[in-house]
Amino acid sequence: MAEQGGTMESSFASDNIRVERERLNELIRQKMLAALPDASARLTDRGIDPRPIVTTDYDGNAISVAQFYMMLRAYSVTEKAGQDPTYKAARVAIVSDLPPRARDAAFVALNQQSAEEAGHGDKVFGAAYYEMGGIAPAPLAEEQLDNGGDFLEPVADPAVNTQKVIDMMAVLGGVETLALERAFPLVLDACSRWKHPLAGQLIDQVNHNVKPEEARHVLTWRYLFHQGVVPRGADAIERYFMLTNWGRDRFLAPRMERHEFDRHMKASCPTVEQLIGRPMPVSI
């Protein structure tokens, strides 16, 4: 997930983000419609019928194999876009004033997340998109996925660096919960109805690789809440909740209700082993 802007506040404080995303999404939709005939031709050339209906979108509209193919492009480039901000956030965590154990855990978890986001984008969704159509997925300018701000550059004040990491994790938490709740179920539903070997391949990869890794990313969202937000009090908790929904606003998704957020966060703080799927490296 790559964001725009120059500073933390200017990048996250946007009351009109959903209006702007509606405008940009309409441009993307028009480009996708214009590209659909060529996409269908690529599928046909590879022996794939682009016409069968395999699922419906969030509004109940039918989605064909060709449209599902276009969705895989979007999933690929957005997952891949999460590599850079998580890589940067990991390095900001090193120079934060989080407690030493939490600082180490945040670095390892975010650094690992960066690699996993790239893997989802390139090795899973990007690979499926290529296999179906024979070309590599590429972002559109309107998606603004390569428009990173400088708010994840570390500064001299460790407390400011901590706030940067916490803010970024709040936004990522909104996106990661959205992926688990809506995006991946849609992919799995389409694959279950599309009787093609590639569908079985995607089901296996999403269930055994992507979903468990995304679930750990959600645990990092919870971990930093317990370690870095709760000790700061009610205002910090409200900011974390607000920025979680900023991440959802970026994708025009339904906002997380406060009771849902509280339910997530009332669970105990995850262990480091849960965050990274293994014990902390012995050298740390």
Side-chain angles (χ1 to χ4, degrees):
M1 189 206 75
E3 306 304 342
Q4 318 175 53
T7 67
M8 182 70 73
E9 297 301 327
S10 66
S11 295
F12 288 159
S14 177
D15 293 337
N16 296 319
I17 183 66
R18 293 185 78 92
V19 173
E20 176 62 7
R21 287 314 309 173
E22 287 279 9
R23 184 185 71 82
L24 293 174
N25 277 13
E26 179 58 24
L27 293 176
I28 294 169
R29 191 181 74 84
Q30 293 300 329
K31 283 196 172 185
M32 291 298 97
L33 284 174
L36 197 58
D38 286 344
S40 297
R42 289 197 298 273
L43 291 168
T44 301
D45 286 346
R46 295 176 82 84
I48 297 173
D49 186 350
R51 297 168 297 175
I53 301 301
V54 289
T55 190
T56 58
D57 64 18
Y58 304 133
D59 297 318
N61 301 308
I63 293 178
S64 67
V65 169
Q67 290 165 317
F68 177 58
Y69 168 66
M70 305 290 272
M71 281 177 52
L72 290 177
R73 181 210 65 83
Y75 282 23
S76 173
V77 298
T78 52
E79 287 286 327
K80 174 73 171 179
Q83 179 182 13
D84 185 60
T86 45
Y87 174 88
K88 289 179 178 176
R91 279 136 190 85
V92 176
I94 297 172
V95 287
S96 71
D97 67 354
L98 287 166
R101 177 75 173 169
R103 181 189 62 216
D104 292 344
F107 167 75
V108 174
L110 286 164
N111 198 53
Q112 178 171 298
Q113 181 173 344
S114 176
E116 290 168 348
E117 299 285 5
H120 300 168
D122 290 336
K123 294 167 65 177
V124 179
F125 298 118
Y129 180 83
Y130 176 80
E131 288 182 55
M132 289 174 71
I135 62 170
L140 301 174
E142 290 81 7
E143 288 166 321
Q144 300 183 347
L145 297 172
D146 56 355
N147 235 356
D150 62 7
F151 52 81
L152 280 176
E153 293 300 319
V155 297
D157 186 345
V160 174
N161 292 329
T162 297
Q163 190 65 60
K164 290 182 180 221
V165 173
I166 288 171
D167 283 348
M168 177 52 67
M169 197 65 241
V171 173
L172 290 174
V175 176
E176 303 294 5
T177 52
L178 174 65
L180 282 173
E181 293 166 2
R182 302 190 69 180
F184 299 153
L186 193 153
V187 170
L188 291 172
D189 181 63
C191 289
S192 70
R193 303 187 197 187
W194 182 37
K195 305 307 178 186
H196 190 280
L198 278 172
Q201 172 186 302
L202 261 178
I203 288 172
D204 181 70
Q205 290 178 319
V206 170
N207 279 330
H208 293 98
N209 298 105
V210 179
K211 284 177 65 178
E213 290 171 353
E214 293 284 349
R216 284 203 304 273
H217 304 168
V218 172
L219 290 182
T220 306
W221 171 63
R222 275 179 42 208
Y223 181 84
L224 282 173
F225 175 81
H226 284 283
Q227 294 289 341
V229 178
V230 172
R232 297 167 180 237
D235 287 346
I237 292 172
E238 186 60 31
R239 179 182 176 96
Y240 204 72
F241 171 61
M242 180 272 290
L243 289 174
T244 294
N245 274 323
W246 193 97
R248 289 180 165 235
D249 287 341
R250 181 67 174 76
F251 290 89
L252 295 175
R255 291 189 154 211
M256 182 179 288
E257 299 291 340
R258 184 55 186 261
H259 67 84
E260 184 183 0
F261 176 83
D262 291 342
R263 177 179 56 80
H264 275 290
M265 298 313 182
K266 281 178 180 175
S268 61
C269 182
T271 66
V272 175
E273 287 75 15
Q274 288 174 315
L275 293 189
I276 62 177
R278 56 184 168 81
M280 186 78 87
V282 295
S283 60
I284 294 181

